[in-house]
Amino acid sequence: MSGKTDLLTLFLPEMQALFAQESLPKFRAAQVYGWLMKGAGFDEMKNLPAALRAQLAENWDAGTVRILEVFESRKDETKKFLFALSDGNIVEGVLMRYHYGSTLCISSQVGCKMGCAFCASTLDGCVRNLTCGEMLHMVLLVNRRYEQQDRRGVTNIVIMGSGEPLDNYDQVIRFLRLVSAPEGIAVSPRNISLSTCGLVPEIYRLMQEDLPITLAISLHAPNDDIRSQIMPISRRFSMQELMGACVEYTRRTKRRIVFEYALIDRLNNSQQHARQLAALLRGMMCHVNLIPLNRVEERRLMPSAKEQTDAFLKTLTALGISATVRREMGSDIQGACGQLRRRYLSQKESEPSGG
Ligand code: SAH
């Protein structure tokens, strides 16, 4: 990284203070901020004198990420991005088009250290946290690229790419405030979901932030026994502790929790598991998102058959639990977390060096 301050990590008043320190007029900060929110670099800020643009570029970064590659699904309008960070690391993002607008799925870390048995992101561990500026820049770059085609650009954000967002708590919270700042691109927190494997202390912190986002919990099991077979985090926090935090979250925020549950053949998809899950969630303000497991080459786990998925859904619904099966999108362009980055990295490794 360059060591310069990335202006995308700052709120407008902070930028104004920074400009004041450099004896730059206050209106310049608002001008630059307006450009930054369009995803522009300093050289594109046409109403600024060239000398000023050069001075700005000398002192600061106008975002540090770039779009390395875009993969467009032929089946639906899903687009998958590889973003290059300034230190050469690579992360993924996915843009999905829905009737209400477009949802961008972003990563919060390069890799992940949580070690879930079905996930590709965690295979090589966590390289580093993303900064709030990097996360914001990804949104701005995608916005810029698709705003014309899709007039509203990115309307919704899910932090469900690689990484455990609550393991990068401060940067993620700052990102949430930056991306929803009214003077910026103002994505409503109500249109933002954060998905966690269940870091209990951070869930308690999050409920005090006054950020009306949707909390999604990667549950994937109806009991501790099964959960500990696929999610190492469950050895740190029991189901009971996790559910306690979730109940408290809904009580304090008045917001419904989404439980993600990937159906895995012969592990968590029986009728008994469905009944156990329903009993666990009874009375909670929640919705269950059943996910057809995305097969990851390096992993032995197999997706549940469609009949069992349908039966699981039916049982949950009959027992009064709100649930849906997540639609698969972009399956022709490597939908599952971390797969695209891994493919890219392994191709690079197998290419002759020196290029
Ligand atoms: N670390 C966070 C967010 C990233 S994962 C979390 O655990 O929630 C985003 C979602 O994708 C999680 O629900 C995760 O469990 C799920 N996921 C990961 N690999 C998957 C796979 N191969 N098939 C289906 N869902 C998967």
Side-chain angles (χ1 to χ4, degrees):
M1 276 177 267
S2 67
K4 294 181 200 171
T5 295
D6 178 3
L7 293 182
L8 290 184
T9 63
L10 303 180
F11 291 93
L12 178 56
E14 295 170 335
M15 253 183 72
Q16 286 167 332
L18 188 69
F19 275 47
Q21 278 172 24
E22 301 286 325
S23 309
L24 292 165
K26 195 174 176 182
F27 77 95
R28 290 294 186 199
Q31 251 178 346
V32 170
Y33 185 81
W35 281 111
L36 289 173
M37 292 302 122
K38 291 188 165 64
F42 293 125
D43 53 344
E44 296 168 288
M45 301 184 180
K46 297 299 177 208
N47 56 353
L48 266 60
L52 176 60
R53 280 187 262 149
Q55 184 190 346
L56 296 174
E58 184 88 1
N59 289 338
W60 302 308
D61 283 323
T64 58
V65 179
R66 90 197 145 78
I67 297 180
L68 188 66
E69 274 185 67
V70 184
F71 302 81
E72 308 208 343
S73 169
R74 277 183 287 269
K75 287 193 192 161
D76 47 50
E77 289 178 78
T78 303
K79 296 167 184 71
K80 189 128 192 185
F81 302 89
L82 279 178
F83 297 102
L85 310 180
S86 60
D87 60 0
N89 275 304
I90 287 167
V91 291
E92 297 170 46
V94 189
L95 186 69
M96 292 156 287
R97 180 90 177 246
Y98 296 99
H99 61 276
Y100 52 76
S102 293
T103 296
L104 180 65
C105 172
I106 62 162
S107 299
S108 54
Q109 295 177 318
V110 181
C112 183
K113 63 170 180 246
M114 296 298 140
C116 298
F118 42 80
C119 182
S121 299
T122 197
L123 286 165
D124 298 321
C126 178
V127 179
R128 72 166 172 88
N129 285 331
L130 296 191
T131 68
C132 56
E134 288 171 328
M135 289 181 264
L136 180 61
H137 204 190
M138 295 189 265
V139 179
L140 298 174
L141 291 173
V142 172
N143 234 350
R144 172 186 184 150
R145 194 171 169 122
Y146 292 103
E147 220 165 11
Q148 265 85 46
Q149 270 166 274
D150 171 356
R151 286 188 317 276
R152 286 179 299 172
V154 176
T155 54
N156 297 61
I157 296 172
V158 295
I159 310 182
M160 289 190 187
S162 62
E164 168 48 51
L166 296 186
D167 184 44
N168 182 16
Y169 190 88
D170 293 338
Q171 291 300 312
V172 166
I173 297 297
R174 192 166 168 92
F175 160 71
L176 292 172
R177 298 199 194 285
L178 286 167
V179 81
S180 57
E183 65 273 25
I185 60 167
V187 176
S188 164
R190 289 171 199 282
N191 294 347
I192 302 179
S193 298
L194 180 153
S195 178
T196 176
C197 65
L199 302 190
V200 168
E202 282 74 20
I203 295 173
Y204 281 103
R205 264 179 94 184
L206 183 63
M207 65 180 88
Q208 295 167 44
E209 298 284 355
D210 197 22
L211 273 167
I213 58 167
T214 297
L215 178 64
I217 304 281
S218 296
L219 193 61
H220 304 319
N223 58 47
D224 282 309
D225 178 37
I226 297 178
R227 200 162 194 261
S228 63
Q229 292 176 42
I230 48 176
M231 300 183 72
I233 191 70
S234 78
R235 283 173 232 143
R236 248 167 80 196
F237 306 109
S238 70
M239 202 70 120
Q240 199 187 351
E241 290 170 293
L242 179 57
M243 289 301 139
C246 289
V247 169
E248 188 59 17
Y249 188 93
T250 58
R251 201 184 63 77
R252 284 191 71 140
T253 64
K254 309 275 184 288
R255 298 199 49 88
R256 173 176 97 153
I257 287 189
V258 172
F259 289 101
E260 294 155 280
Y261 194 104
L263 289 161
I264 304 171
D265 190 39
R266 285 185 297 179
L267 183 78
N268 64 3
N269 65 343
S270 74
Q271 285 300 297
Q272 194 200 335
H273 297 143
R275 286 192 293 271
Q276 206 177 7
L277 180 63
L280 185 73
L281 303 181
R282 190 159 298 140
M284 214 192 288
M285 212 162 68
C286 70
H287 178 80
V288 177
N289 215 335
L290 297 172
I291 310 170
L293 181 79
N294 228 319
R295 270 221 70 201
V296 175
E297 250 171 67
E298 296 85 341
R299 306 298 206 184
R300 277 208 306 270
L301 302 168
M302 297 297 287
S304 166
K306 185 169 184 311
E307 302 75 65
Q308 260 178 303
T309 302
D310 293 345
F312 198 96
L313 174 66
K314 217 169 144 188
T315 301
L316 281 186
T317 310
L319 292 172
I321 304 292
S322 155
T324 43
V325 177
R326 187 192 283 174
R327 201 149 52 97
E328 277 190 89
M329 294 176 89
S331 53
D332 55 331
I333 51 167
Q334 300 279 314
C337 321
Q339 286 183 353
L340 197 61
R341 167 172 174 262
R342 284 184 62 77
R343 169 160 300 189
Y344 180 85
L345 293 178
S346 66
Q347 271 169 7
K348 287 282 139 187
E349 270 164 27
S350 58
E351 276 172 14
S353 56

